[in-house]
Amino acid sequence: MLKVLSLRDFDPPSFSDLATASFAHNALVYCTKEELQQEAQSFCIYLRDFPAVNITQEMLATRETHRTIGARDLFLPVQDSAFKKVVSIWREKGLLEAIRTAAAEDPAEITHPIHWITTRITRMLDSIEGGTFWSSILPSSGSGSVADVAATRDWTTALIRCIAWHPNCIRLAVATRDDRIRIFSTGNIATAILRHSAQKSVCCMSWRPNAGRELAAACQNGVLVWNVELGAASNSLSHAFMLKHRNHAPVTSVSWSPQGDVLVSCSLTDMNMIIWDVAKESGIPLRRVGGGGLCFARWSSCGSRLLATTCRKIFRVWNIGAGTPWKAERWTVPNGRVAAACFGPNLTLLFTSTEDPAMVFSLPLQEQIFDLKKIGTTDDNKVALPLIDLSKITFMSDDEDMQVSVGGRVISMDWDPLGKYLAVIFQDSPLVALFKTKIGNTSRITEVKPMCLVKGFPGEVPNCIQFYHNYKQQSDASILTIAWSSGSVQHFPIIDSPHAEPRPELGKTIGAMNNTFSITEDFQTSLYSSFSVIQ
């Protein structure tokens, strides 16, 4: 029987003023601020191409934002008649959209009777679609707010509100509290700063795979899609357009499919998940009853699964088969809602809910069509297995005059693309918990063990995290990017090379590996009764 991993299995963190700079060869490396920048450090070889990012209070602009002029602004719009516009909308988007367009026109242009009828129909449609929602009273903080579901600690007051690595190159987007997005990339000294009048309250960003310059941002009034130009004149050449849908604001999550052909967005006030055709600037709502609004969506690395979480205990995993209709499996958590989730290799899903105590669960989704052992037995592919107990614990210093807590409610969780390391940050802890994981060929977690607790400098807490995606150039190291509350962005190398020797003389090292726990075959076939799935 598997013993579920606990935060008590970690070694205590250091209580010094040093910050953890790297995990190299089964040992933590601690550094001062000066040592962190020294090229002589053994881990710097892995960070030479990574941009240095440090956001200060003085860098933030005032609340005024200026819209960047794009190519589409250089052309004069064509003025069509109201009837021609309504007919065009009818042909392209259907009768309901044509009715709404007519209701928005000047009554003198389409006659008063038609305007009166379309206005009443539009009000009725809005009442039906918006009756179950509460967008007009959406709280600015606390439960049910954007700050509550954002994958950023203290989103409202944080200097850095979210970060996004490009999946194909060293390019990092950083959204700051002044409603600007800064683009940092290797080889470019100048930082591109993206500003737009509609770019308010950014809480999520996603780069388009296989397209180096397209960035989608979840904003207060919709999805802003940027075409980013890098270089000296990038601020004037970059341009953006807004994607909007009725009752779909504020947008709390945007995510490109791994193939880059589909963009998905979610909103707390909308039960519809919007599937965007960005080229046509149009979206198709994908609705399922139950769960209220949607918090966030996550794609599997292969693009065949899509997770959609609701504001309640329901979450769905969509099966996106090539050339077949999308199908969803409906799951529920015992209490609260899904707080964080991430996909790993082999269609393995890790997730945790907002309930107390917090627990990380593993959900294998790979179809085992050739597993003859399962004939006549329970299908454990539909079972969520408890993996890590995240109950809050407190570490004391040797003289017991200092203490630090870790655990509790999860804010964000990220799994590196190779499925080797899992990082977790919490609402009330200054530490980042790192776990080492191993996935079998059948989509099950076969090994998990505590790795280390990452700390910043005194007074710093982690706001958001993300693993660097493209490991083709660095197969012996994984890079975890951490945005700290001070505004500094740290690239934390996890070096696990069997050919390199550790160099403890270049910094202070502390061992940080513990016992390994394996999932037994008996435990894999057991049911976890708190979760249910509806086919």
Side-chain angles (χ1 to χ4, degrees):
M1 187 70 179
L2 174 75
K3 176 185 175 183
V4 177
L5 188 64
S6 168
L7 293 175
R8 298 184 182 277
D9 298 304
F10 278 91
D11 288 340
S14 170
F15 287 89
S16 67
D17 291 341
L18 304 177
T20 46
S22 172
F23 186 88
H25 319 292
N26 297 339
L28 278 171
V29 178
Y30 287 85
C31 290
T32 64
K33 289 184 178 181
E34 293 75 18
E35 292 173 333
L36 199 60
Q37 307 300 326
Q38 293 178 2
E39 288 288 335
Q41 296 291 346
S42 59
F43 55 82
C44 283
I45 188 175
Y46 300 96
L47 303 178
R48 286 175 180 170
D49 293 330
F50 283 75
V53 182
N54 188 34
I55 305 297
T56 63
Q57 186 70 40
E58 292 73 21
M59 292 173 60
L60 300 188
T62 62
R63 295 303 299 176
E64 290 186 10
T65 56
H66 304 281
R67 188 179 186 276
T68 301
I69 297 177
R72 66 179 61 207
D73 302 310
L74 302 178
F75 298 92
L76 295 176
V78 177
Q79 298 295 335
D80 290 328
S81 66
F83 274 108
K84 187 175 181 180
K85 185 185 299 183
V86 171
V87 172
S88 177
I89 293 295
W90 190 348
R91 291 174 177 174
E92 293 181 3
K93 300 184 178 181
L95 177 60
L96 294 182
E97 288 296 331
I99 292 174
R100 293 181 182 276
T101 302
E105 290 294 329
D106 186 349
E109 295 289 332
I110 61 170
T111 73
H112 288 277
I114 294 179
H115 185 268
W116 185 89
I117 294 173
T118 55
T119 300
R120 267 58 183 178
I121 295 176
T122 299
R123 289 178 181 174
M124 181 181 65
L125 293 173
D126 288 342
S127 177
I128 293 173
E129 293 188 359
T132 58
F133 303 126
W134 31 274
S135 58
S136 59
I137 56 174
L138 189 68
S140 58
S141 62
S143 178
S145 65
V146 175
D148 181 53
V149 302
T152 302
R153 175 174 174 172
D154 304 325
W155 176 85
T156 304
T157 58
L159 291 176
I160 298 175
R161 286 188 162 176
C162 61
I163 58 176
W165 272 115
H166 196 287
N168 306 118
C169 59
I170 301 179
R171 185 168 299 160
L172 180 67
V174 178
T176 52
R177 198 176 59 205
D178 60 352
D179 293 327
R180 301 189 179 190
I181 298 175
R182 293 164 168 83
I183 307 298
F184 301 87
S185 60
T186 180
N188 287 306
I189 300 177
T191 301
I193 301 178
L194 309 181
R195 299 171 292 178
H196 198 286
S197 59
Q199 190 166 278
K200 304 288 187 182
S201 302
V202 178
C203 60
C204 181
M205 297 181 294
S206 178
W207 288 98
R208 187 172 191 173
N210 307 316
R213 296 171 179 172
E214 289 189 59
L215 175 70
C219 302
Q220 181 176 326
N221 297 317
V223 179
L224 197 62
V225 180
W226 282 97
N227 193 308
V228 182
E229 292 292 339
L230 301 176
S234 60
N235 286 347
S236 60
L237 295 178
S238 299
H239 60 274
F241 58 92
M242 177 67 78
L243 302 176
K244 289 185 178 182
H245 202 276
R246 294 185 311 276
N247 300 319
H248 195 73
V251 177
T252 53
S253 173
V254 289
S255 183
W256 285 98
S257 66
Q259 293 75 28
D261 55 345
V262 174
L263 178 66
V264 170
S265 66
C266 300
S267 173
L268 293 177
T269 61
D270 194 356
M271 287 193 298
N272 296 323
M273 181 170 59
I274 307 299
I275 312 299
W276 294 100
D277 185 335
V278 175
K280 296 181 179 179
E281 299 185 22
S282 63
I284 300 175
L286 192 63
R287 168 176 288 187
R288 284 297 180 272
V289 177
L294 299 180
C295 296
F296 62 86
R298 297 286 185 271
W299 290 91
S300 65
S301 58
C302 62
S304 65
R305 298 293 190 278
L306 176 63
L307 168 72
T309 66
T310 70
C311 298
R312 301 173 188 171
K313 62 182 181 179
I314 297 173
F315 68 97
R316 296 178 177 87
V317 179
W318 290 84
N319 190 337
I320 308 169
T324 60
W326 290 22
K327 298 180 181 179
E329 291 181 351
R330 185 183 183 210
W331 290 73
T332 60
V333 294
N335 295 293
R337 62 170 177 83
V338 174
C342 48
F343 276 99
N346 299 338
L347 290 177
T348 306
L349 174 66
L350 295 185
F351 67 93
T352 182
S353 67
T354 56
E355 67 175 326
D356 188 19
M359 181 78 70
V360 174
F361 293 90
S362 170
L363 180 59
L365 298 172
Q366 190 180 68
E367 299 295 339
Q368 307 299 324
I369 59 176
F370 296 111
D371 195 344
L372 300 179
K373 296 180 181 179
K374 296 187 181 301
I375 297 178
T377 64
T378 301
D379 185 2
D380 67 348
N381 284 322
K382 306 302 180 184
V383 178
L385 306 177
L387 193 66
I388 306 172
D389 182 5
L390 298 178
S391 300
K392 183 181 291 186
I393 65 168
T394 300
F395 292 101
M396 303 290 295
S397 60
D398 293 337
D399 52 10
E400 298 187 354
D401 63 342
M402 299 178 67
Q403 65 180 28
V404 63
S405 297
V406 62
R409 179 176 174 178
V410 175
I411 292 296
S412 180
M413 183 169 65
D414 199 29
W415 210 358
D416 84 303
L418 302 179
K420 296 169 59 178
Y421 308 107
L422 176 70
V424 184
I425 61 174
F426 307 91
Q427 177 61 53
D428 300 312
S429 174
L431 305 174
V432 180
L434 270 175
F435 303 87
K436 192 167 186 177
T437 59
K438 185 178 180 180
I439 306 176
N441 295 327
T442 58
S443 181
R444 301 180 184 89
I445 300 289
T446 60
E447 188 176 275
V448 57
K449 55 186 176 183
M451 191 171 174
C452 65
L453 297 173
V454 181
K455 64 183 288 288
F457 292 106
E460 288 185 333
V461 298
N463 285 133
C464 49
I465 56 174
Q466 189 178 60
F467 276 99
Y468 171 63
H469 295 179
N470 189 3
Y471 290 106
K472 295 179 181 179
Q473 301 296 327
Q474 295 165 293
S475 59
D476 60 340
S478 299
I479 309 296
L480 173 65
T481 298
I482 308 170
W484 296 97
S485 57
S486 63
S488 66
V489 174
Q490 178 186 5
H491 305 299
F492 185 85
I494 305 171
I495 304 167
D496 188 19
S497 173
H499 305 293
E501 295 296 329
R503 299 172 62 187
E505 71 277 1
L506 296 178
K508 296 83 177 175
T509 61
I510 298 179
M513 296 298 286
N514 286 299
N515 296 330
T516 302
F517 301 98
S518 299
I519 294 180
T520 63
E521 186 68 25
D522 293 337
F523 185 76
Q524 290 176 349
T525 57
S526 66
L527 292 175
Y528 188 69
S529 59
S530 298
F531 287 83
S532 60
V533 60
I534 302 174
Q535 297 293 339

